[in-house]
Amino acid sequence: MLLLLGIATGCMSRQLTSPVDHGLLQAETELAAGHFSSATEILQAFMVSNPNDPTPALALADCYLAWGKPQAGLAALEEAAHRGAPADEIADRRLALLRAAGAWTELRREAALQLQASPDSTTALSAMVEAALQLGDCGSAQDAAAQLTSVA
C-alpha cells in the first residue's frame, strides 16, 4: 500500500492534469478504505484506456501486494515491464512481491541479479538474507548480513 500511496501522493503534490492521475488518486482512496476490489477495477480500467503507460500497472502491482495477492501483483508487474516501466520502478516491487509469495528460491535468484547490478542495494541484500534463512542456508545469510551491515 505504501508504494501506491507514494504514487498517489506524487499526484497530489502536483496539479492533477491527466486522467491517470485522477484514476490513481481514486484507486488510492478505495484502497485506503479497504476496497481492494474496486481499487483494482479502477486500475485495470486505466490500464485498458492507457495501453502504453506503465503507471497504472505499477499501481496495480502495489494494490495486489497490499491485498495479499502477490501472484496477481507479479503478473501486473510483468505488464508494467512490458509497457516500458523503468527497471528501478520494478526492482523493489518484485522483491516485495516474491517475499510476500514466499517464493524463496526465486527471491534469492532475483536478489542476486539485482546485487550484480547494484552491489550496495540494501533492499536486495535484505531480501538475500531472508531468502537464504528461509532456505536454511545460514552461511549465505551470514555473508549477506555482513555485507548489509557494511553498507547500511
Side-chain angles (χ1 to χ4, degrees):
M1 181 157 67
L2 293 175
L3 298 172
L4 182 59
L5 179 61
I7 292 170
T9 303
C11 291
M12 292 188 306
S13 68
R14 66 179 196 277
Q15 184 92 18
L16 293 176
T17 56
S18 79
V20 173
D21 288 346
H22 286 285
L24 290 174
L25 187 56
Q26 186 180 16
E28 175 62 28
T29 301
E30 291 297 312
L31 185 61
H35 303 144
F36 296 105
S37 187
S38 33
T40 58
E41 288 173 12
I42 291 166
L43 293 169
Q44 288 168 343
F46 277 95
M47 286 175 60
V48 169
S49 62
N50 299 279
N52 297 318
D53 188 349
T55 306
L58 290 168
L60 185 61
D62 296 341
C63 184
Y64 280 128
L65 177 61
W67 195 358
K69 296 188 173 197
Q71 294 302 330
L74 287 165
L77 199 57
E78 290 302 314
E79 179 61 27
H82 177 73
R83 292 170 180 236
D88 63 330
E89 291 284 329
I90 292 180
D92 288 351
R93 284 176 171 94
R94 183 158 173 72
L95 292 174
L97 288 160
L98 290 170
R99 181 179 274 141
W104 307 118
T105 301
E106 196 171 346
L107 177 64
R108 182 183 197 165
R109 185 175 23 251
E110 181 66 26
L113 286 172
Q114 289 186 25
L115 288 168
Q116 286 176 355
S118 181
D120 294 338
S121 168
T122 57
T123 305
L125 284 166
S126 173
M128 181 64 82
V129 170
E130 185 173 4
L133 286 172
Q134 291 292 337
L135 293 169
D137 185 353
C138 295
S140 292
Q142 215 170 15
D143 293 344
Q147 189 176 351
L148 179 61
T149 57
S150 74
V151 298

